[in-house]
Amino acid sequence: MKNRKDQCELIILETSDLHGNIFPINYGNNTETNSGIAKIATLINIEKKQADYTLLIDNGDVIQGTPLTYHFAKYLYEKKNPIISILNRLHYDAAVIGNHEFNYGLSLLYKSVDESAFPWLSANIIEEEKNKPAFGTPYFIKEFDNGLRIAVLGLTTHYIPNWENPSHIRGLKFEDVFETAKKWVKYIRENEEFDLLVVSYHGGFERDIASGEPTESLTSENQGYQICNEIEGIDVLLTGHQHRRIASHLNGITIVQPGFNGQVLGKVNLQFQLHNGKWNLISKSSELVEVNDITTAQSDLLELAKEYEKQTQEWLDQPIGKIIGDMSIEDTFAVRLADHPLIEFINKVQMDAAGVDISNTALFHNESPGFFENVTMRDIVSNYIYPNTLKVIRISGQDIKDALEKCATYFIMDEQKGIQVNPTFAEPKPQHYNYDMWEGIEYQLNIAKPVGSRVEKLTRNGLPLSLSEQYEVVMNNYRAGGGGDFDMFKEKPVIKEIQTDMTELLADYFLKRKAVEASCNHNWKVTW
């Protein structure tokens, strides 16, 4: 449609949940992947060459998620943030604050914002002292040379205080996304001149887009469905957070969500017609553009991060200890059915760091390889993929039982009287990290029994666990705050906080002992 003065095409390009992926590699084994911003950049440049006008937005969770970004945050933070340098090079128009932007603390986040050549948006994250948006403007308007004006409002899931280390969000309050969206959409419509209103929301959909059936518990973590159905005046809703691939419409609003880790580029096609001096939207659609085997990585972007990557790889290959025995994983499903040496080891490290004798942890993802004989930092970050810290909270025996019942919902019975993973833990976003396994107690989960009554054995040191007695338990900070709908842990007394990341605690445990023996006391199992 180029060179038509009375018509124009605008392409909105969205990345979301890049999670620090720059290089197209799997850091566990350094094999090439179809992912990362360097490959996505090739798709972005193709789209820019073909369209009259483009708007490029990152929808959040961009500065955290890979060993490179972790190593940068821990050891190279005085240098420029490589992921921000890349977004600047690609001329992003804006970025939205995601929940994982806070994982490395406010100092690094504000430094990243200051280095950015584009605005960061989040209308509902408020600086308490000044009672104003903490990251500058809640929205911006991009005007193109033909007079086309696009308004973009940014929002962030307000569920962050349920997950994040309190010191990382000190002085901030997180207002309800839906109410904030309603307020600011009304304000923009009444006070600004624009031709299209875009909402970029680091959050997803709480209901099935087609049927309207709830797809998650009513936590308000995701409010996209409600936004589309109850707020008038939005033309396009860019989403993320759930790591889904969506290109559709909902109540007349064009919606898109481009997966995660830079595997997909979200694209919204918009056609405008000039009438009486105003641009009218005449058509809109959305699609997903996937990275594939022939997509090349943009070499100048790799060069920007080359030195960071070199130092990361050297750090990952550092030998830190040995395993006597076997902590490797052949079947992740089997690991969640009965005590396994890797899970017992992680719980032991947590208990050692916290000075308590009850602990829980998860097998965070289905690509965990476990530990083989010679252990490096690469092995640690391949198994423990989140920058979690630890908390010791005081909870009752009843809380422990309730948490185990919650964990037992991870399984369902199939038609052949076997068990499988409950689909709600796999779709729309894998949540294997919300199934915990415990040390310091003995228990048995019987999946053949009804939900809520599956804990058929619960003892401590061979004696029935007192449901009224209080116990001090160590767990990661996400779980201790009630993350994953573990409401029984919310607002419980915090006895101790261990601010060292678990990856460092695991490495230090090896470095102090040189060799660690694989052990398994078989204190729990799942039956059916």
Side-chain angles (χ1 to χ4, degrees), residues 213-350:
E213 291 296 315
T215 55
E216 59 184 48
S217 57
L218 300 178
T219 61
S220 73
E221 176 182 345
N222 299 294
Q223 296 175 291
Y225 191 91
Q226 185 183 17
I227 288 171
C228 286
N229 280 283
E230 298 183 29
I231 299 178
E232 293 184 3
I234 300 171
D235 297 298
V236 175
L237 179 66
L238 308 178
T239 64
H241 184 56
Q242 292 174 312
H243 294 189
R244 298 170 66 185
R245 296 185 179 191
I246 299 172
S248 188
H249 293 272
L250 180 57
N251 194 30
I253 297 173
T254 300
I255 58 176
V256 68
Q257 186 172 144
F260 66 105
N261 288 358
Q263 299 171 1
V264 175
L265 178 67
K267 178 182 176 182
V268 180
N269 304 274
L270 302 147
Q271 307 290 336
F272 293 88
Q273 176 82 44
L274 189 64
H275 181 69
N276 293 333
K278 180 172 175 57
W279 289 106
N280 293 322
L281 180 65
I282 57 175
S283 73
K284 57 179 181 172
S285 62
S286 60
E287 62 182 289
L288 301 174
V289 185
E290 294 191 33
V291 171
N292 58 37
D293 291 339
I294 63 171
T295 309
T296 58
Q298 194 167 311
S299 59
D300 64 316
L301 302 185
L302 299 181
E303 189 65 29
L304 281 176
K306 181 179 177 181
E307 186 57 34
Y308 299 89
E309 175 71 2
K310 178 177 178 291
Q311 293 188 47
T312 299
Q313 291 290 353
E314 291 171 354
W315 172 71
L316 287 172
D317 287 331
Q318 292 177 11
I320 58 174
K322 288 183 175 292
I323 297 292
I324 301 171
D326 186 7
M327 281 193 199
S328 64
I329 293 176
E330 292 184 3
D331 182 349
T332 54
F333 187 73
V335 172
R336 298 183 178 103
L337 294 179
D339 194 20
H340 185 278
L342 176 70
I343 301 302
E344 185 165 301
F345 170 67
I346 295 173
N347 275 319
K348 279 184 177 179
V349 173
Q350 293 188 170

Side-chain angles (χ1 to χ4, degrees), residues 19-314:
H19 288 291
N21 282 271
I22 298 173
F23 288 76
I25 59 172
N26 177 339
Y27 280 96
N29 53 25
N30 273 346
T31 55
E32 185 172 350
T33 60
N34 286 326
S35 64
I37 185 64
K39 284 197 170 185
I40 284 287
T42 298
L43 303 182
I44 290 171
N45 288 330
I46 291 171
E47 295 295 339
K48 282 189 171 185
K49 289 176 182 177
Q50 295 175 346
D52 294 342
Y53 301 102
T54 58
L55 189 67
L56 178 57
I57 296 174
D58 184 80
N59 192 56
D61 282 3
V62 64
I63 67 172
Q64 175 277 340
T66 60
L68 188 152
T69 55
Y70 178 87
H71 184 263
F72 163 75
K74 292 299 178 182
Y75 305 109
L76 302 174
Y77 53 86
E78 292 183 357
K79 295 179 179 292
K80 286 189 175 181
N81 191 324
I83 195 78
I84 299 300
S85 296
I86 287 170
L87 298 187
N88 287 341
R89 175 70 64 87
L90 290 171
H91 302 292
Y92 269 74
D93 291 292
V96 174
I97 300 289
N99 53 293
H100 284 286
E101 258 66 73
F102 296 96
N103 286 173
Y104 300 138
L106 281 173
S107 178
L108 187 140
L109 174 52
Y110 281 126
K111 181 175 178 290
S112 300
V113 170
D114 288 343
E115 290 175 7
S116 302
F118 48 85
W120 285 78
L121 312 175
S122 188
N124 65 304
I125 302 179
I126 306 299
E127 186 179 352
E128 287 186 303
E129 188 174 318
K130 297 181 180 179
N131 197 33
K132 66 177 186 179
F135 297 95
T137 178
Y139 70 93
F140 81 107
I141 293 180
K142 175 77 178 272
E143 182 170 356
F144 296 93
D145 59 15
N146 66 346
L148 181 69
R149 289 171 61 85
I150 310 299
V152 182
L153 172 67
L155 300 162
T156 306
T157 177
H158 60 256
Y159 212 59
I160 291 172
N162 292 283
W163 309 312
E164 191 53 72
N165 185 325
S167 68
H168 292 176
I169 55 174
R170 187 170 290 124
L172 302 177
K173 61 180 178 179
F174 297 80
E175 297 185 338
D176 183 271
V177 164
F178 174 77
E179 295 300 331
T180 303
K182 187 164 62 173
K183 177 181 76 173
W184 280 105
V185 167
K186 182 175 185 292
Y187 176 89
I188 293 168
R189 292 179 68 187
E190 292 177 352
N191 294 277
E192 298 284 3
E193 293 291 330
F194 61 91
D195 302 298
L196 186 87
L197 178 55
V198 178
V199 173
S200 188
Y201 167 41
H202 188 80
F205 298 93
E206 69 280 28
R207 294 178 180 272
D208 181 85
I209 293 167
S211 69
E213 291 296 315
T215 55
E216 59 184 48
S217 57
L218 300 178
T219 61
S220 73
E221 176 182 345
N222 299 294
Q223 296 175 291
Y225 191 91
Q226 185 183 17
I227 288 171
C228 286
N229 280 283
E230 298 183 29
I231 299 178
E232 293 184 3
I234 300 171
D235 297 298
V236 175
L237 179 66
L238 308 178
T239 64
H241 184 56
Q242 292 174 312
H243 294 189
R244 298 170 66 185
R245 296 185 179 191
I246 299 172
S248 188
H249 293 272
L250 180 57
N251 194 30
I253 297 173
T254 300
I255 58 176
V256 68
Q257 186 172 144
F260 66 105
N261 288 358
Q263 299 171 1
V264 175
L265 178 67
K267 178 182 176 182
V268 180
N269 304 274
L270 302 147
Q271 307 290 336
F272 293 88
Q273 176 82 44
L274 189 64
H275 181 69
N276 293 333
K278 180 172 175 57
W279 289 106
N280 293 322
L281 180 65
I282 57 175
S283 73
K284 57 179 181 172
S285 62
S286 60
E287 62 182 289
L288 301 174
V289 185
E290 294 191 33
V291 171
N292 58 37
D293 291 339
I294 63 171
T295 309
T296 58
Q298 194 167 311
S299 59
D300 64 316
L301 302 185
L302 299 181
E303 189 65 29
L304 281 176
K306 181 179 177 181
E307 186 57 34
Y308 299 89
E309 175 71 2
K310 178 177 178 291
Q311 293 188 47
T312 299
Q313 291 290 353
E314 291 171 354

